Amino acid sequence: MAGGRVRRLSRELLLLVGICVLVLLVVNAFVARPFVVPSGSMENTLRPGDRLVVNRLAYAFGGTVQRGDVVVFDGTGSFLPYAAEPGAVRGALAELGLLPTGNSVYVKRVIGVGGDRVTCCGTDGRLRVNGVPLEETDYLAAGDAPSSVAFDVVVPAGKLWVMGDHRSASSDSRDHLGEPGGGTVPEEKVIGRADWVVFPVGRWSSLDRPAGFSSIGGSTGHGHQG
């Protein structure tokens, strides 16, 4: 009798664990996904090892990627020609946020969206979007210049120009200028918007869109570059 009770409890426990795992996988796939920051390319906004909540519904139901958003995206085909497939166990743990995601997934800040002309640097040393100088003091890493690489790009429709906040330590759109796509990332490759840092506890914070991007307003097109 006791053995039967133990077996029944074991089955119920396994069923409960299975349901919990299934719920987590569904939430990760459609609602919110955990992400482990793999490098210092976004310091000091994000630090290596920070755990993020990536909002997968941010751009659903008519929502669009905005300048200033911190996004997590698959760089296969833009930043990388292909991606090695992780093992089944490692892939599952990465999906649950228990291990860093594979090397094809990046986290960067959106600087330009489709139709924008993004240049660096003007006579004042600042990055410009559609001719408007971008105020970056809220997030640019201390001591970093907006860019050590000069560029002048028009972002194609449906694409994004992305950069790290730690510009001197970030491999981003600037590093892929001569490749197919010109360094831009297709919007459909965006996994979601990074909304919260949830771990370590002392790093809890929301990742709000910086005020400097409000100066760009609704401006579109190629703009005059001074």
Side-chain angles (χ1 to χ4, degrees), residues 66-67 111-118 128-134 212-225:
Q66 302 293 311
R67 306 180 192 101
I111 302 297
V113 297
D116 285 344
R117 183 182 180 187
V118 186
R128 281 172 160 72
V129 180
N130 301 329
V132 180
L134 184 58
F213 286 90
S214 62
S215 64
I216 311 299
S219 62
T220 58
H222 298 174
H224 172 72
Q225 305 296 313

Side-chain angles (χ1 to χ4, degrees), residues 136-162:
E136 300 194 277
T137 53
D138 285 351
Y139 56 86
L140 195 64
D144 270 10
S147 179
S148 60
V149 176
F151 58 87
D152 185 342
V153 297
V154 175
V155 184
K159 302 290 185 69
L160 306 169
W161 180 266
V162 298

Side-chain angles (χ1 to χ4, degrees), residues 53-103:
V53 171
V54 180
N55 182 355
R56 304 202 69 163
L57 296 178
Y59 308 123
F61 313 111
T64 58
V65 181
Q66 302 293 311
R67 306 180 192 101
D69 287 353
V70 175
V71 295
V72 173
F73 63 93
D74 181 357
T76 306
S78 56
F79 282 24
L80 290 172
Y82 63 89
E85 290 293 330
V89 173
R90 183 175 182 83
L93 291 175
E95 282 291 325
L96 294 173
L98 301 177
L99 284 179
T101 316
N103 62 1

Side-chain angles (χ1 to χ4, degrees), residues 75 78-81 106 161-162 171-185:
S78 56
F79 282 24
L80 290 172
Y106 298 79
W161 180 266
V162 298
S171 177
D172 49 41
S173 287
R174 298 168 295 167
D175 295 272
H176 302 277
L177 283 166
E179 300 173 13
T184 59
V185 175

Side-chain angles (χ1 to χ4, degrees), residues 33-38 46 49-54 72-73 94-97 99-102 105-107 191 194:
R33 173 177 173 175
F35 179 76
V36 182
V37 176
L46 303 174
D50 280 355
R51 265 66 170 178
L52 311 180
V53 171
V54 180
V72 173
F73 63 93
E95 282 291 325
L96 294 173
L99 284 179
T101 316
V105 180
Y106 298 79
V107 57
I191 295 168

